[in-house]
Amino acid sequence: MFLNPEYAALFILPVLILLFSFLGRSIRFSAYREMTGKIQLNSLSPGTLIILPAVVLIVLSLMRPVSHPEEQEIEMEGRNIVFLVDVSRSMLAEDLIPDRLDRTRFDLQAALPFLAGHRVALVAFAGDTVLKCPLTTDYTFFYQAVSDLSTRSVTKGGSSIGDALRFVINDLFPDETDMMDIILITDGEDQETYPVEAACKAKDKGIRIISIAMGNEKDATPIPAAGEAEGSEFLTYNNEIVLSYPDIQTLAEVAEASRGGWMINVSAGSIDFDRILREMSGPREETGSFKHVTYTEYYQWFLLPALILLLSGLYYRKIYG
């Protein structure tokens, strides 16, 4: 049994080596005959005869021969993590590369290996709030939901952080306690929806909020017009370009008002989800299981003699040509 049978196509390599060796020696011997008038037999060199089985053994090792499959059921445990992502127009600001929203999408997708065991949900918000992915360990579905995030993920513009938090805390998971974390990803520009007060309710339920402030807090950044007929490359209001910068103070207060939360400002680079998830202490629960099959592998029994033959073949080719 082979784990990578597709590598069998590489058995064409010994055939090609054999073909080109005969062709090369034929050309050399023809030139020798024209120069000296003597004839030599067109036989393979000892080096080539040694290299051919080495290549065959290397291909066999790449195919990963195995035996004795054993199926194991591995239990997973983790927390319930809700990613609450701002998709308002201000998240299109380009103080992060390529912009705040795309930076969030790319980093969330890259974080999937670190999420193993956790149940994850995705909620998008701007002027209203929409559940994009319910709590799940189906990371493929979560990945696709993240891929679809855009400013069109919700129907109403604006930025209502407090309402979004209340949606998650009260409506989406009203009974969850101790096992739930909210990772709030936004630039923090809120339209008077009292996010700090909402975070206090999270504390009452034992919910932790980690606020991730997207953008450069020192320099205000213009918001692209996003292809709409604004008459300008950037979004304007009363003929003035609308500028955006993260509200660090509010997001810090939101995190501190929850149970054990903290705030991170991403003003450059990417979101370090690996570090965030490693620092998320607290109780965990079983979140499911998956079956894993292990095998006894034999590739090393092919690879070691292949390397010895290959080195020997190269040595003989150097000596005998």
Side-chain angles (χ1 to χ4, degrees), residues 25-76:
R25 293 183 74 84
S26 293
I27 294 173
R28 287 173 58 189
F29 292 159
S30 295
Y32 178 81
R33 184 175 61 249
E34 291 178 2
M35 293 174 61
T36 64
K38 298 179 180 180
I39 298 176
Q40 287 185 329
L41 293 176
N42 188 10
S43 60
L44 291 176
S45 68
T48 301
L49 291 174
I50 296 174
I51 288 175
L52 284 174
V55 174
V56 171
L57 290 173
I58 289 174
V59 172
L60 285 171
S61 67
L62 289 173
M63 293 174 66
R64 292 182 65 187
V66 296
S67 67
H68 302 97
E70 293 184 7
E71 188 176 271
Q72 298 177 338
E73 187 166 345
I74 299 176
E75 298 291 336
M76 297 188 300

Side-chain angles (χ1 to χ4, degrees), residues 92-218:
L92 298 178
E94 297 175 350
D95 47 0
L96 294 176
I97 298 175
D99 59 51
R100 297 172 183 173
L101 184 55
D102 279 339
R103 181 74 270 154
T104 299
R105 288 196 304 108
F106 298 155
D107 292 344
L108 269 177
Q109 291 172 332
L112 288 185
F114 312 125
L115 295 173
H118 296 293
R119 289 193 188 97
V120 291
L122 180 66
V123 177
F125 76 94
D128 55 2
T129 308
V130 178
L131 176 65
K132 291 297 182 180
C133 173
L135 273 177
T136 182
T137 55
D138 185 348
Y139 302 120
T140 301
F141 180 73
F142 179 79
Y143 182 97
Q144 186 58 51
V146 171
S147 300
D148 294 338
L149 282 178
S150 72
T151 55
R152 296 182 178 85
S153 295
V154 299
T155 57
K156 184 178 179 182
S159 187
S160 302
I161 299 175
D163 291 344
L165 287 171
R166 278 183 282 272
F167 171 81
V168 175
I169 296 166
N170 299 326
D171 301 333
L172 193 55
F173 309 113
D175 299 325
E176 295 288 346
T177 57
D178 290 333
M179 295 289 180
M180 193 170 108
D181 300 285
I182 299 174
I183 298 182
L184 171 64
I185 307 174
T186 177
D187 52 31
E189 295 181 324
D190 180 64
Q191 296 181 335
E192 298 184 359
T193 60
Y194 307 106
V196 177
E197 286 78 357
C200 290
K201 291 187 176 182
K203 182 178 182 179
D204 294 339
K205 288 192 173 184
I207 298 171
R208 172 171 47 203
I209 299 175
I210 301 169
S211 300
I212 301 179
M214 303 295 289
N216 190 334
E217 63 174 319
K218 296 180 179 178

Side-chain angles (χ1 to χ4, degrees), residues 255-318:
E256 291 171 2
S258 71
R259 183 174 182 177
W262 68 87
M263 190 275 297
I264 300 169
N265 178 215
V266 180
S267 58
S270 58
I271 307 172
D272 191 354
F273 281 116
D274 181 21
R275 178 181 175 185
I276 292 171
L277 293 168
R278 281 189 283 109
E279 293 181 356
M280 286 173 55
S281 60
R284 300 189 176 197
E285 62 182 355
E286 289 187 5
T287 56
S289 63
F290 66 94
K291 292 182 179 180
H292 178 68
V293 180
T294 60
Y295 301 89
T296 301
E297 298 209 36
Y298 301 100
Y299 71 91
Q300 65 272 14
W301 295 102
F302 295 91
L303 189 58
L304 182 59
L307 292 176
I308 295 173
L309 288 172
L310 186 61
L311 292 174
S312 301
L314 294 175
Y315 173 76
Y316 275 104
R317 282 186 63 85
K318 183 177 180 181

Side-chain angles (χ1 to χ4, degrees), residues 222-254:
I223 302 173
E228 298 182 14
E230 301 288 348
S232 169
E233 181 183 357
F234 300 106
L235 184 67
T236 59
Y237 181 75
N238 289 337
N239 296 321
E240 292 186 2
I241 294 176
V242 178
L243 301 176
S244 172
Y245 59 91
D247 187 346
I248 300 294
Q249 181 177 350
T250 297
L251 291 179
E253 291 175 356
V254 166

